[in-house]
Amino acid sequence: MKTGLFLPTLVSLGPYAAGAVQALLQDGGLTFDVIGASSGGVITGAFAATGQIDQLVEIWRSWENRDIMAVDWRALLRGGIFWAPSLMTNEPEHRTGLDPYISDAKLLPGVRFRFHVSNLSAGTEEILEYPGAEMPLLTAVHTAVAVPVLFPIVTYQGVQLADGAILNGCPLAQLMLDTDIERLYVVGVAPQLPLYKPGRNAPGILRTALEWNQYSETTAAIAQAHTPNTLSHTWQADRQAITQIIRECVADKALQVELLCQVERIYGESGFPWQRPSVEIIPILPSEQLDGLFGDFQPARSRALLDRGREDALRALHNQQS
């Protein structure tokens, strides 16, 4: 069975996904034929696709704010707030957590790693798949986490590129359409229950709105991903019904063979995109809101998120086996 992993936008809760993926790989003994990701999920996906998830877990155990981002005072002072290319820089993240580890040469054999970026020059979504994409993997990962205004965007071959979530928050259905996976694990951070800390003032309400803006992309994508499964099932059922009718109602064997060949040809030429079996979707999501603010990365909190992700992944594996 071909198995896939998808990692949607993780906001500031990346350790949760890292812990979950480590459990799937080590405790579950899984291997992934396809790994897909969006935005911050690309970091976890890159470490999984290069066989270095243990290194990412160790990085999260000690990563602090200063290891991930910093205010780009030089750019702000040189250009003024409104003319600076970004308010902050994520160069520390590149230096401490990406550049020493991620490269095309480290990709695991047989693994397809795909994610998207936003082409700001053309206003289009670009799908990158490794191995095979022209852009170096490290550059592409830098691009996937380049949130405009907050961090500098990436210019590659004269084209401005940035975080793919700008144009498509969760390209889950596209992953199912473009690959031949049969089972897909979706590791996200959208809570399954209502928020336990609702906003009570303007900053709190803004935080809640921004969080649900991110969370809803994952929950909506999972819900929408079941639509292709339903279409595929209906398509296959209709095709089998037509075939069965011909075999039961057409006594002339030569005519029967001719009609069955015509059915095969018509279905083959129809261009229907879901001519494939359904994909089993296994979501791994926290039951309730996880504690963590963007820009407030603390080792103790990250270690708690790692443990929580691991626990939820193990629970999903147990439920699957039972």
Side-chain angles (χ1 to χ4, degrees), residues 1-157:
M1 174 178 286
K2 290 195 174 182
T3 305
L5 170 69
F6 184 76
L7 299 149
T9 302
L10 301 174
V11 200
S12 59
L13 304 172
Y16 175 88
V21 173
Q22 185 184 50
L24 293 175
L25 293 170
Q26 296 183 356
D27 297 86
L30 300 179
T31 56
F32 296 114
D33 301 282
V34 179
I35 298 176
S38 175
S39 192
V42 172
I43 294 178
T44 305
F47 276 85
T50 55
Q52 302 181 94
I53 196 65
D54 290 346
Q55 285 88 334
L56 179 60
V57 168
E58 289 307 309
I59 290 171
W60 273 120
R61 290 186 183 281
S62 60
W63 241 354
E64 300 182 39
N65 286 331
R66 64 188 179 189
D67 302 314
I68 299 174
M69 67 186 76
V71 176
D72 193 348
W73 291 112
R74 179 176 299 178
L76 289 176
L77 293 174
R78 183 173 57 246
I81 294 178
F82 295 106
W83 297 105
S86 64
L87 300 178
M88 305 185 73
T89 175
N90 55 350
E91 187 279 332
E93 178 183 53
H94 297 176
R95 176 170 37 82
T96 63
L98 295 180
D99 297 1
Y101 302 97
I102 305 303
S103 69
D104 294 75
K106 293 182 179 180
L107 286 166
L108 294 175
V111 176
R112 297 172 61 184
F113 179 38
R114 53 179 288 143
F115 52 95
H116 63 163
V117 298
S118 294
N119 183 328
L120 300 183
S121 298
T124 57
E125 177 188 14
E126 308 288 343
I127 302 294
L128 304 175
E129 181 169 319
Y130 296 85
E134 178 184 354
M135 183 187 298
L137 176 59
L138 180 59
T139 303
V141 174
H142 285 179
T143 303
V145 295
V147 182
V149 180
L150 187 61
F151 299 130
I153 61 174
V154 174
T155 299
Y156 181 74
Q157 295 185 347

Side-chain angles (χ1 to χ4, degrees), residues 89-265:
T89 175
N90 55 350
E91 187 279 332
E93 178 183 53
H94 297 176
R95 176 170 37 82
T96 63
L98 295 180
D99 297 1
Y101 302 97
I102 305 303
S103 69
D104 294 75
K106 293 182 179 180
L107 286 166
L108 294 175
V111 176
R112 297 172 61 184
F113 179 38
R114 53 179 288 143
F115 52 95
H116 63 163
V117 298
S118 294
N119 183 328
L120 300 183
S121 298
T124 57
E125 177 188 14
E126 308 288 343
I127 302 294
L128 304 175
E129 181 169 319
Y130 296 85
E134 178 184 354
M135 183 187 298
L137 176 59
L138 180 59
T139 303
V141 174
H142 285 179
T143 303
V145 295
V147 182
V149 180
L150 187 61
F151 299 130
I153 61 174
V154 174
T155 299
Y156 181 74
Q157 295 185 347
V159 177
Q160 290 186 328
L161 302 167
D163 184 347
I166 297 169
L167 298 178
N168 185 351
C170 193
L172 178 57
Q174 193 65 40
L175 178 73
M176 296 168 58
L177 176 63
D178 294 344
T179 63
D180 55 356
I181 53 175
E182 301 163 87
R183 175 177 291 163
L184 179 63
Y185 292 84
V186 181
V187 180
V189 296
Q192 301 178 56
L193 299 176
L195 302 185
Y196 68 88
K197 290 183 179 179
R200 300 186 182 279
N201 50 36
I205 293 172
L206 176 61
R207 174 192 170 185
T208 299
L210 292 174
E211 286 177 336
W212 275 119
N213 175 262
Q214 297 291 319
Y215 295 154
S216 62
E217 293 173 345
T218 300
T219 55
I222 292 175
Q224 292 168 5
H226 290 288
T227 299
N229 279 341
T230 301
L231 292 173
S232 176
H233 177 76
T234 302
W235 175 268
Q236 298 296 339
D238 289 346
R239 182 174 182 175
Q240 292 172 8
I242 293 172
T243 300
Q244 187 66 26
I245 290 172
I246 293 174
R247 287 174 175 166
E248 292 178 354
C249 299
V250 179
D252 188 314
K253 293 299 182 182
L255 179 58
Q256 185 183 108
V257 170
E258 180 183 349
L259 290 174
L260 290 174
C261 288
Q262 288 187 28
V263 170
E264 187 74 18
R265 177 182 58 79

